[in-house]
Amino acid sequence: MMPKRIGLLAALAALPAALLTVAVSTPVFAADPPAYQIDLAPLNDSGSTGTALLSLRGNALTVWIKSEGLVPGQPSAQHLHGSTDGHDFQCPDDGDDTNGDGILDNTEATVHYGDINISLTESGGTDAGSGLAVDRMPVADAQGKVSYKRTITVGQDVVEQIKDLHIVQHGVDRNDNGKYDFEGAGKSELDPKLPQEATAPTNCGVVKGAAVGSVPIGGVETGGGTESRTSAGAVTGATGAAVVAAAGVLALMRRRMVPVPAAVVTKTGDAA
């Protein structure tokens, strides 16, 4: 038995200490709230890009957004769009301008990214009814940047299907005059009191890995099977492979009743 023990311990010693900490202290996965990254890509030739992070702790959803390329000094309506019933909505592209007027309006885009689920206002309500509450939406600074953070209480459906939701920011300056006006693209199809420039999408991004296990819009749903869902927060790449390897070694050690050396065990409570 001694050679086998030495071999297992040697395998553990070959793994980075940080990965051993994660693999040994399995409660770290359960204790840390899952986080999902979203990269925002431009729509309507806006050049607007950004990064968002969604973090869940129970039913508390914290949303961070940092974006740029927005219209300076103008409000940017922003939302979590999509479905919580397992359907896979995705971001549109400028080729989805079905009426050919040169601007992808929100009605054309909604076919692809779905209805508003949560309005990402700075204060007050966050339901779909606040979708056009531009007075409570963040305003881009003089450089066209928006920095946003808010924690929102959400329903269990959002918790379970967060990977199927995605972020859209709205507001373009089609005639390059530094403001939203009716001369740029006429009235909004959502509210004739607002210019189309104020409601047209400027960027969109889906949760990384969001399409895995979801039912594509337009696809056929069939019964009789168990739908497989993969978390977007799964560990990937070389780090994930090393963690899996560490977990496998530890499982083998447990089966063979080999004690884990105290030097490689880090208590969960000691984590920063």
Side-chain angles (χ1 to χ4, degrees), residues 25-192:
S25 304
T26 51
V28 169
F29 289 106
D32 289 349
Y36 305 86
Q37 182 178 333
I38 294 175
D39 293 332
L40 300 173
L43 292 172
N44 279 314
D45 295 321
S46 65
S48 176
T49 59
T51 301
L53 189 69
L54 308 177
S55 178
L56 278 165
R57 188 179 294 275
N59 289 84
L61 172 66
T62 300
V63 181
W64 290 268
I65 302 175
K66 285 191 176 294
S67 54
E68 58 186 13
L70 303 167
V71 184
Q74 297 296 302
S76 176
Q78 53 183 23
H79 319 96
L80 276 166
H81 285 257
S83 164
T84 57
D85 60 8
H87 285 84
D88 174 29
F89 286 99
Q90 295 292 317
C91 289
D93 57 42
D94 293 340
D96 294 312
D97 172 23
T98 55
N99 64 8
D101 64 352
I103 187 168
L104 178 68
D105 62 44
N106 194 65
T107 297
E108 293 166 329
T110 297
V111 174
H112 302 276
Y113 55 55
D115 294 327
I116 296 172
N117 189 287
I118 297 173
S119 299
L120 299 175
T121 56
E122 293 189 308
S123 62
T126 59
D127 61 337
S130 294
L132 294 180
V134 292
D135 57 322
R136 294 188 284 115
M137 294 292 181
V139 176
D141 65 14
Q143 286 73 47
K145 297 180 179 180
V146 161
S147 181
Y148 173 87
K149 179 183 179 182
R150 187 174 182 187
T151 299
I152 302 164
T153 300
V154 298
Q156 189 60 29
D157 60 331
V158 172
V159 172
E160 295 175 357
Q161 301 294 334
I162 189 66
K163 70 181 182 60
D164 287 336
L165 300 180
H166 40 277
I167 288 177
V168 181
Q169 290 184 306
H170 302 258
V172 298
D173 182 14
R174 191 181 185 193
N175 55 353
D176 297 320
N177 65 351
K179 61 182 180 180
Y180 303 145
D181 60 18
F182 293 95
E183 296 178 5
K187 300 177 182 180
S188 170
E189 83 284 9
L190 301 179
D191 184 348

